Amino acid sequence: MTGIGKRFVFDPVARRIGLRVGKVELGQHIFEAYEALAANALGIDPGHLRVLPVSTKDSPDDGLTAGSLSVQVTGAALALEAATVLSNLRNAAAQALGVSAEKVSLDPSTLCFAHGQNACDLFDLLAGLECAQIGTVPDLRAGTDLVGDAVIGARAYLQDMALPGMMHARALRGRAVDDVRPLLPDTCHLIVNQAYAAVLAPDEATLAALWARLVEPAAPGDTRCDGPVSGWIRWGRVLSTRTGSIPDAPSTFSVSASRGFILHGSIAPSCAVAVWDGAEMTVYSHSQGLFALRTQIARVLELGADQVLVHHVPSAGCYGHTGADDAAMDAALIARQAIGQPVRVAWPRIDDIRLAPLGAPMLAEAKVTTNESHTITGWQQEIWSAPHGQRPGGAGHVNLLAAMERDPDLRPVDIPDLPEQVGAGAARNAVPIYAIPKVQVTTHIVQDLPVRTSSLRGLGTHVNTIAIEAAMDRLAARAGETPFACRDRHLDDPRARAVLDKLATTCAPAMAALSTMPEDSIGIGLGRYKNKAAYAAVAARIRLEDAPRLLELWAVVDAGHVVHRDGALNQIEGGMIQSASWTLLERALLRNGQIEVEGWDDYPTLGWDGVPKLHVSLADPGSDVPSLGVGECMVGPTAAAIVNAISQALGQPITDLPLDRDRLIAVLMNDEKNR
């Protein structure tokens, strides 16, 4: 008897094969990619395969759905196991048919193995295989068509979930218990667990009515980080690290770039549902890391990991480390005192803005050393940044808001940068893609912030790439050559050079037309995500009106073997638009230790009227190269292209984000003052 893959579930009745994966579907179309990879490896039609719902009960622990690794890692593991499954099934079929395995063929539509006129059904062979998992495989894949179904109202997200007898809860978050008690209706209950308190109500409307009567908690009163990032980020307590060799000569010139706090801006606020039956805690969450979340919930509730079951249920529009895990901890803590009753926690929008982890503010300075030929001989990248890695369990910390409110001793004291093994955090893409003999990277991770920061699409890539690519434009100007030529002569990676050369060809007509449009400018940006994932070269055309107007974006992307083309294009285009929004418009300031944003009116994002024309080309390096992942590769190059285009238009570098109307006016007024 031979074994069969643990990721595969066979349904003889429906004649379908289920796939077990630990990554979750967030709208990236990775489940369709998994089905395509497994179908190709098995040699069958993809219609026979369905990805099964993801949970800590049945799914393998594939780690976080992050870092553009879903196809690279889990997809590769799935394809490898599928090849083993096919081999074992073929051997079983050969034995049943009395021939050698190489003489057996598998019909991709009927799922029957055959030799000549003799055939046997794939599902009839399972009895002779060890560990073959038989079960029900539904017709619809888990997380099916998040975009299409949502548009027609056919999909229920986690926020729509309703269980029999479900109660609704909300944490007090700084409101005094004694102030709440007199206002509680008879239908509500006060939940108190050490320093954590919440209200349990029969419906969401009752909670909303109660909250309208409560006094807002006072702002923390911490002024250390108020205002623009450049005014405070260098002066706090930091954890510093340095890697790489020190250039022999002093720097020839330097370029810095910065951004403030960035909101995740999820379409639907964070939500979770939990049920405690006295022995097992079941949690429904839109977390990107179900297993890490399970471990920390068990740790806080002093349960065994096998007593906590986490199911993934999609949410509407989220990316990066949102408040999803925090809402799950809320629900679990409250459900522990409401035995047998499902508890739903849905954060109000203001909590999702102010209490969910934020995208980290950063300041990056590139110090460039060159020789007499304007060739780079040394590079120093020095970075000041808030932490990028405070997911549950990160650096050994619980990192869940409710747990830290319940027990303040659980708040982390020292938060390091993410390690290089996972692509780093603040130092992500701090090493230029170019061939430079000596590179040194120094990171200063700012501690003791009054708000939490964590992983947002691309992490440090956004600001680091802006600094690097702005420096390359500065070098090109000093050398009297085009931005394309300067980059090309500093590259030794043929795939990086290929995307850059194709971009030059693609946007050449637009470059030539600039002479007839003096108010327009075109900038470029180049990068390889984490210096080991997808390559991207981007050009941006902007027009300076009363504010920068982004007209067009061109992108050439080498993502290796592309499994699902539409999914890849969606990720590329979405990444370009999100990066443009961060670069041109987005920033949240602190005042007295609190995010000074109450709703979307206070936090501008790129609207439909601001979306540029997009031109995307996917390079084809061949099907024999690995998939590289595209979820985050556009963040840095797109931002750099926009920054360089605006800098060209102004005739001076402008790299402190956002590059909105107020920022440009300030730069122009300062320029006028200094003349």
Side-chain angles (χ1 to χ4, degrees):
M1 296 177 68
T2 55
I4 200 163
K6 295 181 180 179
R7 291 181 178 269
F8 291 80
V9 177
F10 297 86
D11 186 342
V13 177
R15 300 188 64 75
R16 281 190 291 270
I17 301 172
L19 305 177
R20 285 182 173 157
V21 298
K23 301 290 188 182
V24 299
E25 178 64 70
L26 304 171
Q28 328 91 299
H29 296 278
I30 58 167
F31 284 3
E32 292 169 74
Y34 290 155
E35 291 169 4
L37 283 165
N40 182 66
L42 290 170
I44 65 175
D45 295 337
H48 292 295
L49 295 161
R50 293 290 182 271
V51 173
L52 296 169
V54 182
S55 75
T56 57
K57 180 181 180 181
D58 298 315
S59 306
D61 184 357
D62 288 334
L64 286 167
T65 305
S68 300
L69 294 171
S70 295
V71 174
Q72 273 184 281
V73 177
T74 299
L78 193 65
L80 183 63
E81 193 164 310
T84 302
V85 168
L86 176 62
S87 176
N88 291 339
L89 285 169
R90 189 185 300 277
N91 289 335
Q95 185 175 358
L97 297 173
V99 295
S100 59
E102 61 269 17
K103 295 182 178 180
V104 175
S105 61
L106 174 62
D107 188 301
S109 299
T110 66
L111 303 188
C112 288
F113 288 95
H115 173 67
Q117 299 299 313
N118 299 318
C120 59
D121 190 279
L122 179 153
F123 293 97
D124 292 338
L125 299 171
L126 300 175
L129 297 174
E130 292 179 359
C131 304
Q133 299 177 77
I134 310 297
T136 301
V137 178
D139 185 29
L140 293 176
R141 74 172 64 87
T144 182
D145 196 4
L146 297 180
V147 177
D149 283 356
V151 168
I152 64 175
R155 182 170 186 80
Y157 288 108
L158 177 57
Q159 288 80 1
D160 307 310
M161 189 173 180
L163 297 177
M166 188 165 73
M167 301 286 285
H168 297 254
R170 191 178 295 181
L172 293 186
R173 303 263 127 86
R175 298 169 180 85
V177 171
D178 290 341
D179 294 340
V180 175
R181 277 198 179 97
L183 302 176
L184 280 182
D186 292 340
T187 56
C188 294
H189 306 280
L190 192 62
I191 302 293
V192 179
N193 188 329
Q194 296 179 213
Y196 177 83
V199 171
L200 194 59
D203 53 65
E204 190 70 23
T206 300
L207 280 177
L210 174 60
W211 248 247
R213 300 174 65 193
L214 297 177
V215 176
E216 285 288 323
D222 189 332
T223 61
R224 289 171 300 163
C225 304
D226 286 4
V229 63
S230 58
W232 56 264
I233 199 165
R234 293 176 188 260
W235 315 120
R237 185 173 72 88
V238 299
L239 296 182
S240 299
T241 60
R242 176 172 291 176
T243 58
S245 57
I246 301 174
D248 294 331
S251 61
T252 307
F253 65 89
S254 65
V255 176
S256 65
S258 70
R259 77 173 190 190
F261 294 96
I262 303 289
L263 299 185
H264 281 77
S266 302
I267 293 174
S270 303
C271 184
V273 176
V275 187
W276 169 248
D277 64 6
E280 183 178 69
M281 179 68 72
T282 301
V283 180
Y284 301 89
S285 172
H286 54 106
S287 169
Q288 292 176 264
L290 303 188
F291 288 87
L293 176 60
R294 177 187 68 174
T295 298
Q296 297 310 315
I297 288 177
R299 174 181 174 182
V300 172
L301 298 182
E302 297 182 344
L303 299 172
D306 59 345
Q307 290 179 275
V308 179
L309 172 61
V310 185
H311 297 280
H312 182 264
V313 183
S315 178
C318 61
Y319 202 106
H321 183 197
T322 66
D325 300 297
D326 297 306
M329 188 72 254
D330 274 335
L333 268 177
I334 299 165
R336 188 69 182 271
Q337 298 189 40
I339 297 177
Q341 287 185 291
V343 173
R344 176 183 183 268
V345 171
W347 280 15
R349 176 64 71 185
I350 189 65
D351 282 4
D352 213 56
I353 288 173
R354 291 184 174 172
L355 298 177
L358 300 159
M362 282 185 65
L363 171 65
E365 185 175 19
K367 300 176 183 178
V368 186
T369 303
T370 62
N371 60 22
E372 63 280 0
S373 302
H374 300 290
T375 298
I376 301 172
T377 58
W379 191 291
Q380 293 174 285
Q381 190 93 344
E382 190 162 14
I383 304 154
W384 290 262
S385 175
H388 290 263
Q390 294 196 74
R391 291 184 185 269
H397 303 300
V398 172
N399 291 337
L400 291 168
L401 181 61
M404 293 184 288
E405 290 172 334
R406 174 177 175 264
D407 180 1
D409 288 341
L410 290 177
R411 293 186 181 276
V413 176
D414 292 334
I415 307 165
D417 197 14
L418 289 169
E420 182 60 36
Q421 302 92 287
V422 297
R428 185 164 294 184
N429 279 106
V431 175
I433 193 174
Y434 306 101
I436 300 172
K438 295 183 178 181
V439 177
Q440 176 181 282
V441 175
T442 305
T443 59
H444 309 285
I445 306 302
V446 181
Q447 307 296 305
D448 310 323
L449 295 177
V451 294
R452 290 185 302 156
T453 57
S454 194
S455 302
L456 181 60
R457 196 175 203 169
L459 287 74
T461 298
H462 184 219
V463 177
N464 282 321
T465 307
I466 291 172
I468 291 168
E469 291 298 287
M472 294 304 294
D473 262 27
R474 176 90 173 270
L475 179 61
R478 293 170 68 96
E481 58 189 343
T482 69
F484 283 104
C486 181
R487 286 166 173 79
D488 187 79
R489 70 182 174 88
H490 282 92
L491 287 170
D492 62 1
D493 184 333
R495 291 173 72 174
R497 180 173 283 127
V499 296
L500 183 68
D501 291 349
K502 187 170 182 179
L503 179 69
T505 302
T506 301
C507 63
M511 291 277 195
L514 287 179
S515 60
T516 63
M517 296 179 291
E519 69 277 20
D520 291 6
S521 60
I522 294 177
I524 66 171
L526 176 69
R528 184 183 187 189
Y529 185 54
K530 295 191 289 189
N531 287 7
K532 58 184 178 183
Y535 300 81
V538 178
R541 180 166 73 95
I542 65 100
R543 180 173 297 163
L544 286 187
E545 297 174 340
D546 62 330
R549 182 182 170 198
L550 181 59
L551 301 175
E552 287 185 273
L553 287 171
W554 294 265
V556 179
V557 180
D558 177 354
H561 174 52
V562 176
V563 178
H564 191 283
R565 184 178 177 83
D566 285 346
L569 290 173
N570 289 345
Q571 289 287 287
I572 290 167
E573 293 175 357
M576 294 166 74
I577 292 170
Q578 187 171 44
S579 180
S581 185
W582 291 349
T583 305
L584 292 170
L585 295 167
E586 296 186 40
R587 179 182 62 174
L589 295 175
L590 293 190
R591 184 182 294 275
N592 295 324
Q594 182 171 276
I595 288 292
E596 196 179 22
V597 175
E598 295 186 0
W600 297 126
D601 291 342
D602 305 323
Y603 187 81
T605 58
L606 198 68
W608 290 110
D609 58 345
V611 176
K613 293 181 180 178
L614 301 177
H615 313 275
V616 178
S617 298
L618 279 173
D620 183 14
S623 60
D624 58 334
V625 299
S627 301
L628 294 179
V630 294
E632 296 162 284
C633 67
M634 305 311 299
V635 168
T638 301
I642 294 169
V643 165
N644 285 338
I646 295 174
S647 297
Q648 284 182 32
L650 291 176
Q652 60 179 300
I654 174 169
T655 53
D656 296 322
L657 308 185
L659 304 188
D660 56 8
R661 183 174 184 271
D662 291 344
R663 175 70 181 137
L664 262 64
I665 289 174
V667 169
L668 292 172
M669 288 181 65
N670 187 62
D671 185 49
E672 184 68 26
K673 180 180 177 181
N674 292 331
R675 285 182 181 178

